[in-house]
């Protein structure tokens, strides 16, 4: 008996959840394939909860057991935390800090607080009071940095450690 194709709506949801990139934080390569966390032979169904987007290399590594089931489940869970809690701008800020470990601050035009709301509210980033940029008397840019909690969050994100 041949395995049925993964329904297009489930395939789309899995790929969208991972941003059409490999769900392994240290990888993030494209293109992606869908991998069953619990083998299809055991579950006999395709579900969003049991599928994860992986690049061909990570997919092969997962099939060989080099990336274990628990790691895949954590990566999947972290995608839900990141995508469910943070908007695209906030996720880009986190990725920027993750990709540049020596980056001390990031600067945005005033008014961006609304787009960074959850990172600020969750204590992941904080406004720098001493790094304001003025043109005349008008405040035009504000800088933000990772807090200690934010540094741990980004570290966990990069290492595929479960996010709170």
């Amino acid at each position: 008996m041949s395995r049925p194709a993964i329904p297009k709506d489930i395939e789309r949801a899995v790929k969208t959840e991972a941003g059409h990139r490999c769900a392994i934080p240290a990888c993030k390569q494209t293109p992606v394939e869908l991998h069953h966390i619990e083998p299809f032979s055991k579950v006999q169904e395709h579900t969003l909860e049991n599928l994860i987007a992986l690049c061909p290399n990570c997919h092969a590594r997962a099939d060989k057991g080099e990336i274990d089931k628990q790691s895949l489940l954590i990566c999947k869970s972290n995608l839900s935390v990141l995508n469910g809690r943070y908007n695209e701008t906030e996720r880009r800020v986190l990725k920027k800090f993750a990709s540049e470990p020596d980056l001390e601050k990031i600067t945005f035009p005033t008014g961006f607080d609304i787009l960074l709301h959850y990172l600020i509210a969750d204590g992941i980033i904080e406004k720098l009071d001493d790094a304001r940029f003025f043109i005349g008397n008008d405040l035009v840019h504000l800088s933000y940095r990772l807090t200690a909690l934010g540094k741990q969050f980004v570290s966990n994100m990069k290492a595929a450690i479960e996010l709170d």
Side-chain angles (χ1 to χ4, degrees):
M1 179 176 133
S2 66
R3 180 163 90 179
I6 297 171
K8 289 293 181 194
D9 61 329
I10 292 175
E11 179 180 356
R12 185 179 310 107
V14 172
K15 288 180 177 179
T16 300
E17 172 185 67
H20 292 267
R21 295 189 167 282
C22 184
I24 304 299
C27 182
K28 295 294 186 192
Q29 294 297 309
T30 61
V32 294
E33 304 169 345
L34 300 189
H35 174 75
H36 289 84
I37 298 169
E38 194 67 50
F40 181 83
S41 59
K42 183 176 179 182
V43 297
Q44 296 292 307
E45 65 179 340
H46 304 298
T47 63
L48 174 62
E49 297 76 24
N50 190 46
L51 288 164
I52 190 166
L54 299 176
C55 71
N57 184 50
C58 289
H59 193 176
R61 291 179 60 219
D63 285 342
K64 291 179 198 169
E66 293 173 14
I67 303 173
D68 69 348
K69 177 182 166 184
Q70 187 60 35
S71 295
L72 294 171
L73 288 170
I74 290 170
C75 290
K76 178 84 171 174
S77 174
N78 287 352
L79 287 172
S80 295
V81 169
L82 291 169
N83 294 334
R85 178 71 172 161
Y86 301 111
N87 66 43
E88 179 65 21
T89 302
E90 291 169 312
R91 290 191 305 268
R92 286 181 183 208
V93 167
L94 291 170
K95 288 176 187 174
K96 181 75 170 171
F97 279 116
S99 68
E100 296 182 34
D102 294 331
L103 184 66
E104 293 191 21
K105 64 183 177 182
I106 193 164
T107 303
F108 287 101
T110 55
F112 260 68
D113 279 12
I114 191 69
L115 295 176
L116 303 172
H117 175 78
Y118 290 110
L119 288 179
I120 296 167
D122 292 350
I124 304 293
I125 63 171
E126 63 187 357
K127 241 188 283 191
L128 292 174
D129 289 333
D130 61 345
R132 297 179 179 197
F133 298 91
F134 290 88
I135 294 180
N137 290 329
D138 295 326
L139 178 65
V140 293
H141 290 93
L142 292 170
S143 292
Y144 302 85
R145 69 174 170 213
L146 286 174
T147 62
L149 177 67
K151 289 176 183 176
Q152 186 63 54
F153 187 90
V154 168
S155 176
N156 290 353
M157 188 178 82
K158 286 174 58 177
I161 296 171
E162 197 160 3
L163 301 174
D164 295 329

